[in-house]
Amino acid sequence: MELDFRQVHLDFHTSEKIDKIGESFDKRQFQEALKKGHINSITLFSKCHHGWSYHPTEANEMHPGLKFDLLGAQIEAAHEIGVKTPVYLSAGLDEKTALRHRNWLVRNKDETTTWVSDFTQPGYHKLCMASPYLECLLRQIEEVCRLYDADGIFLDIAGVQPCYCQSCIAEREAMGLDPYDEEAVLYHAEQVYFRYAKAVRAAIDKYKPGLALFHNGGHIRQGRRDLAHCNTHLELESLPTGGWGYDHFPCSARYCQGLNMEYLGMTGKFHSTWGEFGGFKHPNALRYEVSLAAANGAKCSVGDQLCPNGKMDMVTYGLIGEAYAELEAKEPWLKNVSPAADIAVISPEAYTDNLGTGQTTQIGASESGAVRIMLEGKYLFDVVDFETDIDKYKLVILPDIIRADKRLEEKLKQFCKNGGKVLASGKSALKTEEDKFCLDLGAEYICKNPYSPDYFRPSVQIAGMGDTGYVMYGSGEKIRSAGTELGIRENPYFNRTREHFCSHRHTPDSAEYGGGGMTEGRDGIYIAWSIFEDYGTNGGLWAKQMVMFAADRLLGDKKTLKVNLPAQGIVTLMRQGERYICHLLYASPVKRGNGIEVVEDIVPIYDINVKIKTDKKPGRVYLAPQAEDIPFEYKNGEVSFWVKKLECHQMAVIE
């Protein structure tokens, strides 16, 4: 299926305590808002988290304050002007039902509920898909598909959910499982989810075979392609100001673009997150977020929330329209693209899920640190799982925790035999069955290092670093050098304890040799600390400089792209038929309030030099969508050109 580029997700979670629902809905005003926003698809509500339907229903109950078919009127108005209308149903949350059937709720081991722990607090309570609630939900889905011209179904708050409700306990006992054993609980939770997903697909296909379907859980789990393929496409919920941060979307997108599925990036118009009435982010922030989606090969969706009276907020659609008007002009260069990448970053989340540790909702510090270094270092990279063909890459990065089973060991050895290189850190590249490296990285493993923190001193010239000891906060591994020693470990005088401490924070460098710190062997380079987690948590510049030195050394002259953008800039390279599209972005999020990252000012960047390796001499290089030709030079298999000005987002096309 092909997704639309310019979508809106129109939340409408509305309490039964509010009356006159949809009273101010006006077909023309609704259409004018969509036109002003340059919208070509809008997700509309059948049922909200409060449990009410926004149309006449036999499968549920219509909101008591609503007197007409609001969903039907919205669909008719949108379709009249060529705007598609996927339909939303809250799957996991239905507060009306939760209050009436408390035995259907997801329970923690201590019998508390999820989302909010009891009924003394304002908030929702999640329902279990192993309970009779699933049949209620399926009837609601069938009703929408039967009665309305929906362009898709969006089911919210859906995912693998460990549960200790009585329905789940009874099922596990019937399966011969210990109902309180954590592994059994997780195994059963997955069975319940796949049963739910299969039943939903059947309910939709009964009336709308093949209709677009997405189950939203707030994050696409890396390494779980089976879960991803329960959907027809992917929607990457990632509101930078809503808890996801600006690191989340690039990481998630770099993984999803390898799944051979259509996907979109979902941000929000809100200053903070969902449910914020009267909150607006700066237009420049939305311009940047929409451009970031485009640069990563994604279509875009912006979250809004409709006022209970049904009237569209024209300020919101003016805000969205500023970003989407730019996106609309760029679409010819965004369709049917595939990413160019030199580096495969193996996902730590995919590794931990591979070990059966269960559901995650955000990226961890190791993955965040790795992606941040790749972005700031201007590398072309993908985030991959263990099903990915790594032979097309030049460098594979194993961040911190990726130990190798027999299958991965053989895959990595073949990759290196074919000329590829590996960069590993921490416990990565150790065999799963023994503390021994599976590759020649110039190191022999001894044990976990007893000192923390300790120090790294370069043995070679590393850009930005001098001949001194740099503190390493990440956990370290003690090794013996068995190849080229690029840097050493130096021990502190002692670990900080009640009896032994010095100064305000940690013990100084004793300059005592503690073994190899960064080593190189036939197959690649090893860094003896969890350096990606360290950078993701602490952001020490020297950690990034160490990784960039290692990556550049291993890539050598095979690096596809070089650019002089500042650290906060982002570059991607997409293939579209016989041409490359180079995306250049620049914005600088700043902290406001209690840790919210805000983009307000877009500072122009000037004189950006771009160099791209290509085996064909380009016939033309130009800026898009301006169609402005720019001079270029082609020499020794490399095209070089200058972009005179970058303001938020600029595409350079190499044909």
Side-chain angles (χ1 to χ4, degrees):
M1 63 164 294
E2 186 171 346
L3 295 174
D4 294 286
F5 273 98
R6 291 166 277 114
Q7 303 195 29
V8 159
H9 186 97
L10 189 63
D11 260 13
F12 198 50
H13 302 294
T14 309
S15 168
E16 64 278 4
K17 304 296 183 183
I18 299 177
D19 200 11
K20 300 181 180 179
I21 302 302
E23 182 183 58
S24 298
F25 173 80
D26 177 83
K27 176 181 177 179
R28 298 300 170 202
Q29 196 263 349
F30 184 78
Q31 292 174 331
E32 284 306 310
L34 298 182
K35 291 175 183 176
K36 188 173 184 177
H38 292 255
I39 312 300
N40 54 14
S41 179
I42 183 166
T43 300
L44 302 169
F45 266 44
S46 165
K47 187 187 78 166
C48 72
H49 288 343
H50 292 274
W52 304 107
S53 291
Y54 295 92
H55 54 86
T57 173
E58 294 179 359
N60 191 24
E61 296 173 46
M62 192 162 78
H63 192 292
L66 179 65
K67 307 302 181 187
F68 69 104
D69 186 350
L70 177 59
L71 175 63
Q74 290 173 323
I75 290 175
E76 180 184 346
H79 282 179
E80 192 174 278
I81 58 171
V83 176
K84 291 181 183 176
T85 57
V87 173
Y88 173 107
L89 295 97
S90 179
L93 302 178
D94 182 327
E95 196 62 13
K96 167 175 55 65
T97 299
L99 288 164
R100 297 174 183 176
H101 298 280
R102 302 189 186 197
N103 58 322
W104 294 0
L105 296 177
V106 170
R107 297 282 175 176
N108 297 314
K109 203 168 188 177
D110 63 0
E111 294 290 331
T112 57
T113 56
T114 60
W115 280 61
V116 290
S117 61
D118 54 47
F119 285 87
T120 65
Q121 312 169 56
Y124 305 113
H125 303 79
K126 193 171 184 182
L127 287 144
C128 179
M129 295 302 175
S131 76
Y133 168 69
L134 176 59
E135 290 303 318
C136 300
L137 177 63
L138 294 173
R139 288 195 296 272
Q140 294 162 5
I141 294 169
E142 285 189 13
E143 183 177 65
V144 168
C145 293
R146 178 169 52 88
L147 297 179
Y148 293 97
D149 189 13
D151 293 301
I153 296 294
F154 184 107
L155 297 174
D156 204 6
I157 321 299
V160 177
Q161 176 64 67
C163 178
Y164 295 84
C165 77
Q166 292 307 305
S167 295
C168 284
I169 287 173
E171 280 196 14
R172 289 196 287 273
E173 287 178 333
M175 295 165 70
L177 301 173
D178 179 347
Y180 292 97
D181 176 75
E182 288 188 8
E183 287 189 12
V185 170
L186 183 57
Y187 170 78
H188 176 244
E190 297 218 349
Q191 303 306 304
V192 170
Y193 179 77
F194 285 114
R195 186 173 67 202
Y196 146 84
K198 184 178 180 181
V200 165
R201 186 70 260 177
I204 293 171
D205 289 346
K206 187 175 178 180
Y207 297 99
K208 297 282 182 68
L211 187 68
L213 167 64
F214 179 66
H215 304 272
N216 184 47
H219 174 70
I220 305 302
R221 288 172 63 183
Q222 296 176 10
R224 293 303 305 270
R225 296 187 180 209
D226 53 347
L227 296 174
H229 286 287
C230 290
N231 307 286
T232 57
H233 65 283
L234 301 174
E235 304 197 19
L236 280 56
E237 185 178 6
S238 188
L239 280 62
T241 57
W244 286 262
Y246 277 98
D247 284 341
H248 178 268
F249 175 75
C251 178
S252 193
R254 298 297 172 99
Y255 174 72
C256 291
Q257 65 191 10
L259 298 182
N260 197 30
M261 298 177 72
E262 279 271 293
Y263 61 100
L264 59 82
M266 180 188 288
T267 184
K269 68 97 178 182
F270 317 104
H271 166 67
S272 59
T273 193
W274 300 106
E276 181 188 51
F277 293 99
F280 305 88
K281 64 180 41 161
H282 195 281
N284 281 338
L286 203 53
R287 289 176 60 212
Y288 175 70
E289 290 159 21
V290 167
S291 297
L292 187 62
N296 283 280
K299 311 297 174 63
C300 197
S301 176
V302 177
D304 180 28
Q305 179 144 337
L306 184 64
C307 183
N309 66 17
K311 185 177 181 179
M312 299 284 269
D313 184 90
M314 298 306 284
V315 172
T316 292
Y317 289 86
L319 171 67
I320 295 172
E322 285 191 47
Y324 274 179
E326 292 184 15
L327 182 63
E328 188 172 12
K330 298 170 184 175
E331 286 176 18
W333 294 272
L334 304 177
K335 296 177 179 178
N336 302 316
V337 296
S338 60
D342 294 331
I343 299 173
V345 178
I346 294 189
S347 164
E349 181 188 330
Y351 178 75
T352 54
D353 230 341
N354 192 44
L355 294 180
T357 55
Q359 186 174 15
T360 60
T361 56
Q362 297 290 312
I363 58 174
S366 290
E367 193 156 352
S368 174
V371 169
R372 178 48 54 193
I373 292 173
M374 293 295 99
L375 292 172
E376 292 176 0
K378 309 300 174 282
Y379 297 98
L380 300 179
F381 71 100
D382 292 335
V383 176
V384 306
D385 60 23
F386 296 93
E387 296 181 48
T388 304
D389 176 11
I390 60 174
D391 289 336
K392 62 183 178 179
Y393 300 101
K394 300 161 188 172
L395 173 64
V396 169
I397 295 179
L398 308 175
D400 300 345
I401 64 169
I402 315 292
R403 297 182 75 125
D405 60 13
K406 293 290 187 184
R407 181 168 169 263
L408 179 58
E409 179 179 353
E410 194 54 43
K411 197 172 184 177
L412 290 171
K413 283 182 174 177
Q414 189 61 46
F415 172 73
C416 293
K417 185 178 179 181
N418 294 338
K421 295 293 184 180
V422 170
L423 171 57
S425 63
K427 284 189 163 58
S428 288
L430 291 174
K431 299 182 179 186
T432 52
E433 69 274 11
E434 60 176 325
D435 287 337
K436 184 178 180 181
F437 289 108
C438 69
L439 300 170
D440 179 1
L441 302 175
E444 294 177 3
Y445 189 82
I446 300 174
C447 63
K448 182 175 177 60
N449 191 55
Y451 292 109
S452 183
D454 52 5
Y455 296 83
F456 171 79
R457 183 182 292 267
S459 302
V460 295
Q461 184 62 50
I462 296 178
M465 299 179 74
D467 183 18
T468 188
Y470 292 84
V471 65
M472 303 299 290
Y473 293 110
S475 60
E477 309 303 324
K478 192 170 182 63
I479 60 167
R480 183 181 300 107
S481 295
T484 303
E485 200 167 65
L486 303 174
I488 64 171
R489 164 180 281 112
E490 291 184 338
N491 297 326
Y493 288 95
F494 42 75
N495 281 330
R496 189 177 178 90
T497 67
R498 178 182 63 82
E499 293 182 290
H500 296 80
F501 68 91
C502 178
S503 191
H504 298 290
R505 184 157 187 182
H506 53 256
T507 311
D509 187 358
S510 73
E512 178 186 52
Y513 179 72
M518 184 192 294
T519 60
E520 184 174 26
R522 181 189 64 243
D523 298 325
I525 290 175
Y526 173 72
I527 299 173
W529 290 272
S530 294
I531 196 166
F532 295 102
E533 180 183 26
D534 192 348
Y535 192 68
T537 304
N538 299 303
L541 183 60
W542 56 94
K544 176 171 71 171
Q545 290 164 337
M546 290 167 64
V547 171
M548 289 178 60
F549 165 80
D552 289 342
R553 186 178 176 97
L554 293 172
L555 284 171
D557 61 359
K558 296 179 181 179
K559 198 171 181 181
T560 299
L561 180 143
K562 298 174 184 175
V563 63
N564 64 344
L565 270 179
Q568 205 61 40
I570 288 177
V571 60
T572 65
L573 188 64
M574 294 288 175
R575 296 186 185 92
Q576 189 187 52
E578 290 297 307
R579 63 188 180 189
Y580 278 124
I581 295 96
C582 180
H583 293 264
L584 303 166
L585 295 96
Y586 185 82
S588 188
V590 296
K591 297 284 187 180
R592 296 279 174 82
N594 188 21
I596 292 179
E597 289 184 295
V598 171
V599 171
E600 182 175 352
D601 299 318
I602 297 287
V603 178
I605 302 295
Y606 296 93
D607 297 325
I608 302 116
N609 182 224
V610 181
K611 296 180 180 179
I612 299 172
K613 283 188 176 295
T614 173
D615 56 2
K616 293 181 181 178
K617 181 180 179 179
R620 181 189 181 200
V621 177
Y622 64 95
L623 302 179
Q626 302 98 311
E628 175 188 333
D629 284 285
I630 54 176
F632 68 92
E633 183 180 70
Y634 184 74
K635 189 176 180 182
N636 299 324
E638 183 177 77
V639 60
S640 176
F641 57 89
W642 292 83
V643 175
K644 293 298 183 183
K645 181 181 179 181
L646 164 62
E647 195 270 329
C648 187
H649 177 221
Q650 180 62 64
M651 296 183 293
V653 183
I654 302 95
E655 287 197 341

